[in-house]
Amino acid sequence: MLLDVEELHVRYGRTHAVRGVSLSLNEGEVVTVLGANGAGKSSLLRALAGVVRPAAGRIRFGKEEVTHAAAPDRVRRGLVLVPEGRQILVSLTVHENLQMGAYCRTDADVGRDFAAIYDRFPNLAGRRDMPASVLSGGEQQMLAISRALLARPRLMMLDEPSLGLSPLLVARLFDLIGALNRDGLAILLVEQNTGMALRAASRGYVMELGRVVLDGPADALADNDALAAAYLGAH
Ligand code: ATP
């Protein structure tokens, strides 16, 4: 098992955003976390990334416990978040944004990995020295994912990557998620686009008010009438 989360709680003052979530993910697996706005999905990912401190619970990544590890330490171990809203620094160049992803690396393969990114995303290569503000929303999402790839993740956590993208770009994004997974990358995908997410994932969890209310194989969730009534009609 690559990620094992036990009874995780996140609180912001009096708001109890995550209320005892347990979740697991195997090497090479795509798992999705679904749920309405405010269900606690982002808070869960932020706690896994070490951006917020869990109030209780345990997070294991690989063979180690990382519940209290600092965020950069988790990145070094390969636990990498692509945050909601992408968090691109638009006044920096495309290349400088990518460099931020590789900041924790000291190995000799960094140059090769940059070349592979520019190979895969010609739109980024053509604009490498321009400010990231010239990129479209879809290209900014590619940049955010590329930045995460440069950290050499073992698990990439994506927080609503399809938000604000046109249907064509959403399809391209999910093609990319599929391709990265075929290369062996494990992915934890938070999405409101339930249909696409369940097609990309092998398993899913549904959150409501900070709790997991349903989980199982993606095809079973896609056939679940209650889930369909609550979410699948939304897209
Ligand atoms: P969304 O899709 O809107 O991001 P979500 O499922 O990711 O929803 P969270 O963003 O994790 O949900 O929010 C869960 C709860 O925690 C909500 O009630 C939200 O208002 C609250 N919350 C989130 N971040 C903070 C914060 N920094 N301070 C206080 N409350 C917060």
Side-chain angles (χ1 to χ4, degrees):
M1 195 177 293
L2 181 59
L3 178 72
D4 185 20
V5 181
E6 266 177 48
E7 284 292 315
L8 198 72
H9 290 258
V10 175
R11 291 175 184 275
Y12 307 101
R14 278 155 57 190
T15 305
H16 196 171
V18 176
R19 303 172 177 226
V21 167
S22 297
L23 167 156
S24 68
L25 184 148
N26 295 313
E27 298 271 1
E29 199 179 19
V30 180
V31 170
T32 186
V33 178
L34 307 169
N37 277 336
K41 309 179 299 296
S42 297
S43 299
L44 169 66
L45 289 198
R46 287 201 292 264
L48 297 179
V51 184
V52 300
R53 177 186 284 275
R58 202 175 70 159
I59 305 165
R60 280 182 165 276
F61 184 62
K63 291 188 173 55
E64 285 152 76
E65 176 159 359
V66 297
T67 315
H68 303 292
D73 187 32
R74 296 187 209 203
V75 172
R76 266 191 293 275
R77 292 167 198 249
L79 183 54
V80 179
L81 173 66
V82 179
E84 187 172 0
R86 336 217 203 285
Q87 310 284 343
I88 295 298
L89 295 179
V90 289
S91 60
L92 297 185
T93 66
V94 167
H95 193 73
E96 286 164 343
N97 271 280
L98 289 177
Q99 281 174 326
M100 286 172 27
Y103 79 96
C104 62
R105 287 181 54 185
T106 51
D107 60 278
D109 296 336
V110 180
R112 207 181 57 195
D113 287 356
F114 269 96
I117 292 290
Y118 284 135
D119 229 31
R120 182 171 224 154
F121 303 108
N123 284 357
L124 299 184
R127 300 187 169 106
R128 53 172 283 164
D129 297 319
M130 294 184 198
S133 56
V134 305
L135 301 180
S136 69
E139 289 166 341
Q140 288 193 9
Q141 186 58 265
M142 298 302 155
L143 179 59
I145 291 173
S146 299
R147 183 180 57 188
L149 286 173
L150 280 164
R152 283 223 162 153
R154 294 170 69 196
L155 171 60
M156 187 184 283
M157 301 185 283
L158 293 162
D159 196 351
E160 299 204 17
S162 76
L163 203 69
L165 301 186
S166 70
L168 178 68
L169 290 174
V170 171
R172 271 198 213 147
L173 169 74
F174 277 91
D175 284 347
L176 174 63
I177 288 172
L180 294 174
N181 179 245
R182 281 191 295 281
D183 289 347
L185 184 63
I187 294 171
L188 184 59
L189 174 65
V190 160
E191 261 297 338
Q192 301 238 359
N193 193 332
T194 305
M196 293 294 269
L198 287 174
R199 276 193 289 281
S202 58
R203 292 188 299 115
Y205 294 82
V206 181
M207 285 183 70
E208 229 173 76
L209 299 174
R211 291 194 176 85
V212 172
V213 292
L214 198 62
D215 70 279
D219 46 4
L221 291 179
D223 287 340
N224 184 294
D225 290 342
L227 182 67
Y231 302 111
L232 289 176
H235 290 274

